[in-house]
Amino acid sequence: MPFAAVAVVIAYLAGPGSGLAGLGTPLPEITIEQVDFVDGEIRATVRNTGPMPVDVVIADVNDRIQPAAIEPDKHLERFETAVVRIPFPWNEAEPYRIGLTIDDGTRFEREVEAAAPAPEAGLELLGSLALIGTYVGIVPVMLGLAWLPFIRRISGRHYAFFLSITVGLLLFLGIDAIEEAAEVADENLSESFNGLLLIATVTTLSFLALYYAGGRLAAAGKSGLQKPMAVGLMIAVGIGLHNLGEGLAIGAAIGLGQAALGAFLIVGFALHNTTEGMAIAAPASRAGATVPMLAALGLMAGAPAILGAWIGGFFYSPFSAVIFLSVGAGAILQVMVVVLRWIRGQDGVGLSGAPVAAGIATGMAVMYLTSIII
């Protein structure tokens, strides 16, 4: 019955009641998602983010109309994209305002603070981004795993303290991923995409999907896989998804010609990620993990930074960046819940105890201090 009623309402709005949808005056909107500077040419990637089809008819640079070619064509249906190619003798490091006017006379623009040549896709850039991803993701996580021998020798309340540090680290990473996603959505996504709602939806779906997968993994633990190792595996997956987002940010900065920002991100993330290995080492220390197992977990957590750098450098889009960062946030928050449940199950340890509170506070403080360089 409810489905039948909904079908009747939809049929009415599509037929006799179609005039109701026409109330008010819809406004066109286009979004200039990316601007690339190549030899003697400026290329602007534009998307129709308004409710109606539009035609791009005029391009200008610094308020001066310029000849332009639009590929594949000037007509854009809703959410369709095109590349506007503007022959222009631009100068490196100078600011530019790129404007596009549609058929009803409305003009939209995007400002570039300092022009920089877009890197050329090829094996050299592929190798450079892979090296950067290794430096930012794999190396710091492996260094953080060096905490393992120390954590293995402690017990009881001290171990609960280090597990709680892991919770603090993960909590900070989750908040950081959501903040980065919100920043990308605010600066680059049209309001028609509902950026904050997109972040909330993807984060929640990621959390639920991984919560289900974690339950299956825990069930597998009863048949041979040790629970501490299962938790370490989930932490590695969550951190790996977060590092995918970090690699995406670095690759995008380099791919968009923002060399200075890319350098800051590389140094900052490398320092920041040395603490992530500790988050894996804490549960793995109780699982009798071998060196190959630890290396596999470290690669699982760090290697996605390489993939993220490739995606950001060659195929960057604000929409995909928000999706990846939100998935990482959901994964990290799910792992944090799993670790808290595990701490509660430890003998003589409660979530309201001093070791837990001190550990979470320490983890948050360490992550904040290592993040201020970014």
Side-chain angles (χ1 to χ4, degrees):
M1 289 294 294
F3 286 110
V6 170
V8 171
V9 172
I10 293 175
Y12 173 77
L13 291 176
S18 59
L20 296 175
L23 294 176
T25 304
L27 298 176
E29 180 184 10
I30 63 173
T31 302
I32 304 174
E33 293 186 340
Q34 185 172 329
V35 177
D36 293 318
F37 295 87
V38 297
D39 292 337
E41 186 177 85
I42 299 175
R43 296 178 184 173
T45 301
V46 60
R47 183 186 298 273
N48 177 12
T49 51
M52 64 186 71
V54 299
D55 289 341
V56 180
V57 295
I58 299 175
D60 66 82
V61 178
N62 293 342
D63 296 322
R64 294 186 177 182
I65 296 176
Q66 303 291 334
I70 304 175
E71 300 175 350
D73 59 66
K74 67 178 182 179
H75 183 75
L76 298 177
E77 296 290 338
R78 192 179 188 195
F79 296 135
E80 188 178 358
T81 61
V83 176
V84 180
R85 302 179 60 176
I86 308 171
F88 189 84
W90 56 272
N91 296 315
E92 190 169 349
E94 287 189 4
Y96 291 96
R97 287 193 313 277
I98 314 302
L100 297 175
T101 303
I102 60 176
D103 48 350
D104 72 347
T106 308
R107 180 180 177 275
F108 302 88
E109 74 172 22
R110 175 162 178 164
E111 185 172 356
V112 178
E113 295 181 357
E120 297 182 4
L123 292 178
E124 183 178 355
L125 180 59
L126 189 74
S128 297
L129 290 175
L131 185 61
I132 290 171
T134 302
Y135 175 72
V136 169
I138 297 176
V139 173
V141 172
M142 292 298 185
L143 290 175
L145 288 173
W147 282 92
L148 183 70
F150 169 74
I151 298 176
R152 244 179 201 159
R153 291 196 295 268
I154 63 177
S155 59
R157 294 169 65 86
H158 296 97
Y159 180 59
F161 172 74
F162 275 93
L163 282 178
S164 302
I165 289 179
T166 293
V167 175
L169 301 177
L170 294 172
L171 178 59
F172 187 96
L173 289 175
I175 296 173
D176 181 56
I178 292 174
E179 182 186 20
E180 288 182 25
E183 184 177 348
V184 172
D186 182 60
E187 293 180 357
N188 299 283
L189 280 187
S190 165
E191 292 183 0
S192 62
F193 284 109
N194 295 320
L196 291 180
L197 291 178
L198 175 64
I199 294 168
T201 301
V202 175
T203 300
T204 303
L205 292 177
S206 171
F207 177 90
L208 294 174
L210 290 167
Y211 194 82
Y212 171 77
R216 300 298 296 267
L217 190 61
K222 298 177 182 178
S223 62
L225 182 63
Q226 297 183 25
K227 187 174 181 180
M229 200 63 194
V231 174
L233 176 61
M234 284 187 282
I235 291 175
V237 170
I239 291 176
L241 289 171
H242 181 266
N243 282 337
L244 178 69
E246 291 184 347
L248 191 72
I250 294 172
I254 294 173
L256 297 176
Q258 300 171 352
L261 174 60
F264 275 112
L265 291 175
I266 292 168
V267 174
F269 285 149
L271 175 61
H272 198 50
N273 291 352
T274 55
T275 56
E276 294 176 354
M278 183 197 301
I280 301 171
S285 65
R286 292 299 189 268
T290 63
V291 172
M293 293 169 66
L294 285 176
L297 291 178
L299 287 173
M300 192 177 298
I306 299 175
L307 179 60
W310 284 341
I311 295 173
F314 294 107
F315 313 105
Y316 176 78
S317 76
F319 190 81
S320 65
V322 171
I323 294 293
F324 283 131
L325 289 167
S326 300
V327 168
I332 287 170
L333 295 177
Q334 184 270 338
V335 175
M336 186 185 72
V337 170
V338 171
V339 177
L340 283 172
R341 290 175 59 188
W342 189 26
I343 293 174
R344 188 177 59 183
Q346 299 293 307
D347 293 335
V349 178
L351 294 181
S352 60
V356 175
I360 294 175
T362 300
M364 291 285 289
V366 167
M367 292 299 279
Y368 172 74
L369 291 175
T370 57
S371 70
I372 58 177
I373 192 173
I374 299 177

